[in-house]
Amino acid sequence: MRPTVSEQLAGAARLLSEVVGPEIDDSYIADVLAGVVTTLELLAKGWTQVAAFLVWDIEATRRVLELVGVEEVPAVGDPLDVVALQDRHTRVRALLERAMPDIAALPKARTAVAALFRERADRYPIPTTPWRGPVADTTR
């Protein structure tokens, strides 16, 4: 199907940048627009990898939780049902949060969760990047 979701997001970013951007005289509004354009560009590039990332993170988090005896981790289920996948991911991350005192008390689990957090940051498909526009005027 054309345009794809990626093409639509990239097109919206381009229109905002090329059509709306030149009409903006206020530096604060230009900065906000630059942030929106950057976000749309990042979404255009990374949204297709979100489901795979969530599946990986659920499974990697499950392995950490098993080290401290948490076994009621919800299964991944249908990786194409993104809404259900996001719900499972939220529940797994809540289990991890509740288990942190136990994880912190066990050196092997502490090492595993630190590695999980590092790899999670490296794998995240929609990274945050600095805006390419001017810095927002914080006096407004």
Side-chain angles (χ1 to χ4, degrees):
M1 177 181 355
R2 300 300 292 267
T4 66
V5 173
S6 293
E7 290 167 341
Q8 290 178 51
L9 289 167
R14 188 175 53 258
L15 285 172
L16 287 171
S17 180
E18 296 173 5
V19 176
V20 177
E23 300 300 318
I24 295 175
D25 294 328
D26 183 280
S27 63
Y28 177 76
I29 294 172
D31 189 37
V32 171
L33 178 63
V36 170
V37 168
T38 298
T39 299
L40 287 170
E41 291 169 345
L42 290 169
L43 287 169
K45 292 176 186 171
W47 79 270
T48 59
Q49 299 164 32
V50 169
F53 170 78
L54 293 175
V55 168
W56 169 83
D57 196 39
I58 289 168
E59 289 303 312
T61 303
R62 180 188 55 74
R63 288 189 296 273
V64 171
L65 290 169
E66 283 178 348
L67 295 172
V68 292
V70 177
E71 296 187 14
E72 71 264 13
V73 179
V76 168
D78 180 0
L80 298 179
D81 184 347
V82 178
V83 173
L85 195 56
Q86 287 176 319
D87 178 62
R88 283 183 189 90
H89 186 258
T90 299
R91 290 185 299 163
V92 169
R93 298 303 289 183
L95 288 171
L96 180 65
E97 182 181 338
R98 285 193 301 275
M100 285 307 288
D102 294 333
I103 291 169
L106 185 64
K108 183 177 180 179
R110 206 171 42 244
T111 299
V113 80
L116 170 65
F117 291 160
R118 279 191 298 277
E119 189 168 358
R120 187 176 200 275
D122 289 342
R123 283 178 175 246
Y124 193 68
I126 305 172
T128 57
T129 61
W131 293 0
R132 32 172 207 227
V135 175
D137 180 358
T138 58
T139 62
R140 294 181 139 253

